[in-house]
């Protein structure tokens, strides 16, 4: 069974958050599993918030993004060169920002941040709902046999 994961880096610019969010969702749609719409919406929002925080607070350095599917859990990780750990703050009604970490907490089954030798890593685990794609890959084989069954995937 195929493991599902992605890893890439983007520049630490404001445009990077939107491009990376689109890339994560696009890549997930290319996997051999089909996520339900609510799961993809949650992935898109959490990814966007984690990347936006990294871009705003990492001082323009590169931002690394990864996602790995393990059964019904998708782990999203965003790393940057800043050692300052994020902290939630209470935003006023008319503030444009300050709610991202609350959104991450609300949509995740677990989340956190830790310092790394080169900066920090922020992560979130999301419960996702998916089914195997019904279109069998060329050549059939084991994947065609499993097309109707929900099969947990092992990530490496």
């Amino acid at each position: 069974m195929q493991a599902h994961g992605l890893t890439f880096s983007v520049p630490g610019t404001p445009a990077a958050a939107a491009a990376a969010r689109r890339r994560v969702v696009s890549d997930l749609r290319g996997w051999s599993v089909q996520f339900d719409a609510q799961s993809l919406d949650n992935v898109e929002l959490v990814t966007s918030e984690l990347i936006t925080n990294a871009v705003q607070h990492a001082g323009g350095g590169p931002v690394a993004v990864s996602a790995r599917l393990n059964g019904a859990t998708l782990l999203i990780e965003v790393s940057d060169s800043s050692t300052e750990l994020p902290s939630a703050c209470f935003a006023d009604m008319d503030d444009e920002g300050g709610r991202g970490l609350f959104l991450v907490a609300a949509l995740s089954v677990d989340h956190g941040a830790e310092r790394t030798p080169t900066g920090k890593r922020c992560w979130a685990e999301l419960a996702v709902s998916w089914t195997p794609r019904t279109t069998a890959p060329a050549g059939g084989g084991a994947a065609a046999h499993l097309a109707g069954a929900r099969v947990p995937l092992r990530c490496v």
Side-chain angles (χ1 to χ4, degrees), residues 86-103 105:
S87 61
C89 61
F90 291 100
D92 289 332
M93 290 291 291
D94 48 351
D95 286 345
E96 288 186 23
R99 296 169 189 82
L101 292 178
F102 291 110
L103 291 170

Side-chain angles (χ1 to χ4, degrees), residues 9-129:
S9 293
V10 295
T13 63
R21 176 187 67 230
R22 285 189 301 271
R23 179 169 176 187
V24 168
V25 172
S26 174
D27 283 2
L28 265 62
R29 287 187 172 137
W31 290 356
S32 65
V33 297
Q34 183 167 337
F35 295 92
D36 72 356
Q38 185 63 55
S39 293
L40 282 176
D41 287 347
N42 292 348
V43 167
E44 185 173 17
L45 181 56
V46 168
T47 302
S48 180
E49 292 301 333
L50 292 177
I51 295 170
T52 299
N53 280 346
V55 167
Q56 288 178 344
H57 302 288
V63 174
V65 180
S66 71
R68 289 188 311 272
L69 181 64
N70 187 10
T73 303
L74 183 73
L75 173 65
I76 301 168
E77 298 174 300
V78 175
S79 300
D80 62 61
S81 60
S82 170
T83 58
E84 183 179 342
L85 296 178
S87 61
C89 61
F90 291 100
D92 289 332
M93 290 291 291
D94 48 351
D95 286 345
E96 288 186 23
R99 296 169 189 82
L101 292 178
F102 291 110
L103 291 170
V104 170
L107 296 173
S108 303
V109 293
D110 200 6
H111 67 285
E114 62 233 2
R115 287 184 179 91
T116 66
T118 58
K120 73 173 170 298
R121 177 181 76 100
C122 298
W123 57 271
E125 292 181 342
L126 284 80
V128 292
S129 180

